[in-house]
Amino acid sequence: MPLNSVNTNTGAMIALQNLQSTNAELGVVQSRINTGKKVASAKDNGAIWAIAQGQRSEIGALNAVKDSLQRGQSAVDVGIAAGESVSELLIQLKEKALAASDTSLTTSARKALNEDFKSIRDQITTVVSNAKFNGVNLLNAAGGTIDIQIGTESGEAITLNLADATVSGLGLDAATFSISSVAGATAALNTIDTAIDSLTRTRGSLGAAQNR
């Protein structure tokens, strides 16, 4: 009587085939669990894997663009907030200069106004110096630009023009600017008006960049 073996036992062969199929399917499921991907490698499905690789590359690039936009947005937000503070300080400087232009003031009164004036001007320096995010200061580098990446291709960027809202850039240089005399106060009023106009344009430019 011949011995039974897997090769001669039809039922056993079917069971073995089913077991091998089950093991293969378990291997696929385990791979998906381990990698989190339906197609984990080119051998699973070459065409779909190639497409997926391209999509993953695009997603990675878009994440980099998102990070760039967030950094740019934050830098612009800081610049706008600082610009508003400087604008308020310029208004205070104008009030002091206008008061100092009064010819009826005593010398001591005008001197007190000048001290207040210098203190406010120093606050502008502090505000502008601190208007920095991630090493970028949009209010302390006139003539320069920075590019914010907005797309996955080279050259897809928004260019922001840097401004100079320092006391020197606004024409309020501490070495030459004073309201300790009527003439100085009168000259200061014109200079401050020019500074306010300049800063208004800068704030408008930052606002447009923020909307973009």
Side-chain angles (χ1 to χ4, degrees):
M1 183 177 180
L3 295 174
N4 286 329
S5 70
V6 172
N7 293 329
T8 61
N9 189 318
T10 303
M13 289 188 68
I14 292 174
L16 179 61
Q17 290 173 352
N18 288 338
L19 179 61
Q20 291 172 338
S21 176
T22 299
N23 286 337
E25 291 176 359
L26 285 173
V28 171
V29 171
Q30 188 63 49
S31 174
R32 292 176 179 175
I33 291 173
N34 291 339
T35 64
K37 300 171 184 175
K38 183 176 181 180
V39 179
S41 66
K43 70 179 181 180
D44 296 329
N45 188 319
I48 292 178
W49 181 82
I51 293 171
Q53 285 295 96
Q55 290 177 334
R56 281 194 285 270
S57 174
E58 189 71 11
I59 290 171
L62 288 172
N63 285 335
V65 170
K66 180 181 177 182
D67 291 341
S68 177
L69 287 171
Q70 288 175 338
R71 289 193 299 269
Q73 179 72 51
S74 296
V76 170
D77 288 344
V78 171
I80 288 176
E84 291 174 353
S85 295
V86 173
S87 181
E88 290 299 318
L89 291 170
L90 286 175
I91 291 173
Q92 293 180 39
L93 287 180
K94 185 173 181 178
E95 292 174 354
K96 298 297 180 183
L98 185 60
S101 67
D102 186 347
T103 57
S104 67
L105 284 179
T106 63
T107 301
S108 60
R110 185 173 286 107
K111 181 178 179 181
L113 284 171
N114 191 52
E115 291 300 316
D116 288 343
F117 187 92
K118 291 190 295 182
S119 177
I120 296 169
R121 184 178 55 200
D122 291 343
Q123 290 181 52
I124 292 177
T125 298
T126 300
V127 169
V128 173
S129 297
N130 292 330
K132 185 183 298 183
F133 178 84
N134 198 35
V136 175
N137 192 326
L138 300 180
L139 299 180
N140 194 16
T145 61
I146 61 169
D147 291 330
I148 307 299
Q149 192 71 22
I150 62 171
T152 58
E153 300 296 329
S154 175
E156 292 182 340
I158 294 175
T159 298
L160 299 182
N161 295 316
L162 305 182
D164 188 353
T166 63
V167 291
S168 178
L170 293 173
L172 309 177
D173 195 331
T176 58
F177 208 70
S178 171
I179 60 170
S180 58
S181 66
V182 174
T186 302
L189 286 171
N190 293 327
T191 302
I192 294 170
D193 282 338
T194 299
I196 290 174
D197 290 342
S198 175
L199 187 61
T200 298
R201 289 192 297 271
T202 295
R203 293 174 61 189
S205 177
L206 290 176
Q210 186 182 51
N211 290 333
R212 290 185 64 187

